[in-house]
Amino acid sequence: MSAITDHAPLNTAPFRAPTARLALKPAGGPRALLDGAWWPSSRDLTQELPALADMLDPLWGRITRIAVNPRHWPTVPRRVPVNGHVVRVGWFSELDPHKIVLLSYTTGRWDLLVIPPQTSAPAGARLMVAASEVAALTVTADSLMAAEQTSLSASDSSWRRTTTP
């Protein structure tokens, strides 16, 4: 026996869980030097950039270009697929090496702190919060990374002092 319905069959697309670790400042706040933080899982931009842009494209408008500093990336692709269109990727050695810039013709520019993939979970969480705080208007990516390195060095030396007989 077969069933007949009045409804057309649904077009189904496989569900993809968000894969980018991302923290963004709330929309509508004052313009800051950083709009949030991105914590990629690897140094493979060919894999990491599409996941990032797929998440941001619907939120911020169609991403048209991405700029990175090549210092920490072994390979920088020229283009990546994003939500059915292609996004050009450029590298600029003048750009802060701890930052990524995403551009859209319709809505502007966004600057994200790039947290190194090998960063520990506590340090990564601190950096994501610091980069996405509304009050942090003049904080740069480089200064956040330097502050985190300083706090890690200080906690490491205090740990050695407390564990030495």
Side-chain angles (χ1 to χ4, degrees), residues 16 45-55 80-83:
R16 278 193 334 179
L45 281 178
T46 305
Q47 294 296 314
E48 298 291 339
L49 283 180
L52 172 65
D54 277 349
M55 286 183 69
V80 293
V82 176
N83 289 331

Side-chain angles (χ1 to χ4, degrees), residues 4-5 39 41-42 45 51 55 63 67 72 86 88-89 91 94 121-122 131 152 155 161:
I4 300 174
T5 65
W39 189 5
S41 299
S42 73
L45 281 178
M55 286 183 69
I63 305 296
H72 299 297
V86 175
R88 291 181 180 220
V89 181
W91 59 270
E94 307 84 36
L152 285 177
S155 66
R161 276 185 264 134

Side-chain angles (χ1 to χ4, degrees), residues 26-76:
R31 182 74 176 127
L33 295 178
L34 290 174
D35 299 297
W38 173 49
W39 189 5
S41 299
S42 73
R43 292 277 182 202
D44 183 358
L45 281 178
T46 305
Q47 294 296 314
E48 298 291 339
L49 283 180
L52 172 65
D54 277 349
M55 286 183 69
L56 295 176
D57 206 62
L59 294 173
W60 284 349
R62 187 178 181 133
I63 305 296
T64 54
R65 290 190 180 265
I66 299 173
V68 298
N69 181 312
R71 181 187 305 173
H72 299 297
W73 305 104
T75 305
V76 178

Side-chain angles (χ1 to χ4, degrees), residues 93-156:
S93 52
E94 307 84 36
L95 187 64
D96 184 331
H98 301 292
K99 187 166 78 169
I100 185 169
V101 177
L102 297 106
L103 302 166
S104 168
Y105 290 133
T106 57
T107 52
R109 166 190 174 137
W110 300 275
D111 297 71
L112 298 176
L113 167 71
V114 177
I115 300 170
Q118 70 277 9
T119 303
S120 70
R126 280 191 302 271
L127 287 165
M128 290 188 80
V129 168
S132 60
E133 285 182 333
V134 175
L137 296 177
T138 59
V139 175
T140 65
D142 199 38
S143 67
L144 279 176
M145 294 305 294
E148 183 60 33
Q149 286 293 49
T150 301
S151 73
L152 285 177
S153 298
S155 66
D156 187 42

